[in-house]
Amino acid sequence: MTSISLHRRTLLGAAASLAAGAVWPQPAPATVRIGYQKSSTLTVVLKAQGTLERRLAPLNAKVSWHEFTSGLPLLEALNLDNLDFSADVADTVPVFAQAAGAQLTFVAQEAPSPTAQAIVVRADSPLRSVAELKGKKVGFAKAAGAHYLLIAALEQAGLSFKDIEPAYLTPADGRAAFERGAIDAWVIWDPFLSAAQRQSNARVLADGTGIASYQRYYLASTKFAQARADVLEVIYAELAKAGQWVKANPDAAAALLAPVWGVDVPTVLQANGRRSYAVRAAVPAGLAEQQKIADAFFAEKLLPRRVNALDIPLFKPGSAT
């Protein structure tokens, strides 16, 4: 039998199978474990709308949701194989995860939002500049974007991290300490920043403008990225759509997010106005600040070893099709 006639017979057999209603193999059932924070706006939108559950069903995949107070414990859970995918974390967090030997893959990056985090003081505080933080107690979440903003702002003001008294606090604990005067300043990100400004009259000493661009990253365990690129394609596409929707429909987005965040609509509008929500692929050229962040933390002896910020796999959207 010639190769041509064999090919023809194969095609006819495939056609007959389709006509008989043959079922082609489906991906093995999977539950995608997604970790997120309250500040993971786009992921919170997708969760509230049930988008991923609908879009992943044809891939035989379900979703389970797991909330975290900040980015570092989220990526620790990812590294321990307790999660498969991490919603956006600040640019500093992957650096700490890399230093701990985590096997993670960058799935996407949000474009910079430098004003979405800031160093704030109470309205009646005598402090008027970052330089005046010398010897003061400053609260922030360890390894968060706020942590790097503080280091970079102190350096710009001629100070070092050793010149302040750090207080590592979750956003909720930081807010409580800030309001009762247990800390002199607080470094925090949106929506907590907007809530503190609107509800507690917090005054900004410095935001990230010209200091820290504050890019947020979506990550997956490398094992999951290699096994289910098809799932990551869907998640990436839906995150990008959600970002466009939030910016094009600020009032609807604020109405959806306000009860989830536990704040009023004007606070959500203010917070969302400072975030880019522009989801894009993570590429080597866009990781330059990651190395700067890694070097800054290592210089302050906050990392156990030097980190090569480019030594992490990058997911390429479209690679699974």
Side-chain angles (χ1 to χ4, degrees), residues 51-279:
T51 305
L52 293 182
E53 284 83 352
R54 291 192 301 273
R55 291 282 284 110
L56 291 175
L59 299 180
N60 210 8
K62 297 180 179 180
V63 179
S64 66
W65 301 93
H66 309 269
E67 185 176 341
F68 290 77
T69 58
S70 60
L72 187 57
L74 201 169
L75 288 199
E76 287 173 346
L78 196 68
N79 185 41
L80 292 172
D81 198 30
N82 292 323
L83 294 173
D84 302 302
F85 180 82
S86 165
D88 53 307
V89 296
D91 38 20
T92 54
V93 185
V95 167
F96 279 81
Q98 282 182 270
Q103 299 301 304
L104 306 176
T105 293
F106 278 141
V107 176
Q109 174 196 69
E110 274 186 25
S113 303
T115 61
Q117 58 176 356
I119 303 170
V120 298
V121 295
R122 292 179 301 282
D124 60 355
S125 171
L127 303 176
R128 295 288 167 180
S129 70
V130 174
E132 293 177 74
L133 290 176
K134 186 172 183 178
K136 304 299 182 182
K137 190 172 185 178
V138 184
F140 55 94
K142 185 176 182 179
H147 195 162
Y148 175 67
L149 171 60
L150 177 60
I151 290 174
L154 289 171
E155 181 181 5
Q156 189 179 73
L159 301 176
S160 76
F161 191 69
K162 298 181 182 64
D163 288 317
I164 59 104
E165 181 185 349
Y168 296 123
L169 301 168
T170 66
D173 291 340
R175 174 75 179 267
F178 179 75
E179 291 183 343
R180 71 173 183 268
I183 53 177
D184 298 294
W186 186 31
V187 199
I188 192 60
W189 61 93
D190 273 320
F192 311 105
L193 170 60
S194 290
Q197 288 179 287
R198 294 184 57 82
Q199 298 167 7
S200 304
N201 296 316
R203 174 165 49 84
V204 173
L205 279 187
D207 61 26
T209 303
I211 303 173
S213 64
Y214 190 49
Q215 300 180 100
R216 294 179 70 88
Y217 289 89
Y218 299 82
L219 299 100
S221 73
T222 297
K223 181 177 74 172
F224 184 81
Q226 292 172 345
R228 294 308 302 261
D230 56 338
V231 170
L232 293 185
E233 288 282 2
V234 171
I235 294 175
Y236 177 91
E238 294 304 325
L239 286 168
K241 290 178 187 176
Q244 294 163 4
W245 179 80
V246 169
K247 299 306 280 189
N249 302 276
D251 293 332
L256 182 151
L257 290 164
V260 178
W261 286 351
V263 297
D264 58 23
V265 167
T267 298
V268 181
L269 287 169
Q270 178 174 309
N272 284 350
R274 293 192 286 219
R275 287 277 295 275
S276 73
Y277 295 133
V279 176

